[in-house]
Each structure stands twice: as structure tokens, then as C-alpha cells.
């Protein structure tokens, strides 16, 4: 059974890559090292992140989720149904 024919494996593999892709993109866009990324996660002060960093992180999140959606669409993991079309178009 290949990765393409096992829907559960394909989805799990794609979703497992999500946190790493997100971290890499945030580090790239914010010019942070990986240790800085994890230090920023642990900060509890209200102003731990600048407004520009917050905005960039949200944009990266949308980009990474969008890429995940595109990867799930091509090639389709199941025959397209009206319900699936509605979910994927959101």
C-alpha cells in the first residue's frame, strides 16, 4: 500500500509536518533562530512579541494551513463529494 492510496497515512504525514513547517517559516520571516523561537514561546509578558511579529506569525499560520489544504487537494485523497467540496473551499 503506497502513501497515496492510504488516506489515513497521507493525512497523518502531512499534519505531522505542519509544526516543523510553521516553525521554519516563522524563523525565516522573523529572522529568528530555532532557540529564539522556543524562547519566545515560553515568554509570558504581554509585550513579548511586537505587533509586527504577531502579524507575521498569523500570516505564516494562514500560509502553512493553505499549503496543507493544497496538498490535500492534489491529488485528491477521496472522490470529491459536495460535502468535501464545501469543507475544502472554506
Amino acid at each position: 500500500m503506497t502513501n497515496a492510496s492510504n488516506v489515513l497515512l497521507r493525512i497523518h504525514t502531512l499534519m505531522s509536518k505542519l509544526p516543523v513547517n510553521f516553525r521554519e517559516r516563522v524563523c525565516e520571516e522573523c529572522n529568528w533562530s530555532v532557540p529564539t523561537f522556543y524562547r519566545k514561546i515560553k515568554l509570558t509578558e504581554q509585550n513579548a512579541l511586537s505587533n509586527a511579529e504577531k502579524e507575521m506569525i498569523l500570516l505564516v499560520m494562514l500560509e502553512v494551513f493553505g499549503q496543507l489544504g493544497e496538498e490535500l487537494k492534489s491529488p485528491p485523497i477521496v472522490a470529491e463529494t459536495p460535502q468535501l467540496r464545501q469543507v475544502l473551499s472554506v
Side-chain angles (χ1 to χ4, degrees):
M1 184 176 296
T2 66
N3 188 1
S5 66
N6 185 333
V7 173
L8 180 59
L9 175 61
R10 182 162 172 226
I11 291 172
H12 181 269
T13 300
L14 289 172
M15 293 189 73
S16 295
K17 294 177 184 178
L18 195 69
V20 174
N21 293 344
F22 174 74
R23 184 193 67 215
E24 288 175 353
R25 290 291 296 131
V26 168
C27 287
E28 181 181 324
E29 290 297 328
C30 293
N31 199 27
W32 295 346
S33 64
V34 173
T36 298
F37 176 87
Y38 286 106
R39 259 194 315 276
K40 295 272 190 176
I41 285 176
K42 293 177 186 177
L43 295 175
T44 57
E45 300 88 42
Q46 177 121 12
N47 59 353
L49 298 170
S50 70
N51 287 337
E53 289 171 331
K54 291 175 190 175
E55 184 176 339
M56 183 54 64
I57 291 165
L58 289 172
L59 290 172
V60 167
M61 178 199 66
L62 293 172
E63 174 190 313
V64 170
F65 279 146
Q67 289 171 349
L68 175 65
E70 290 303 314
E71 289 183 48
L72 290 172
K73 288 180 191 177
S74 177
I77 54 176
V78 294
E80 198 167 306
T81 64
Q83 294 87 351
L84 181 61
R85 212 172 302 125
Q86 181 180 3
V87 169
L88 292 176
S89 69
V90 173

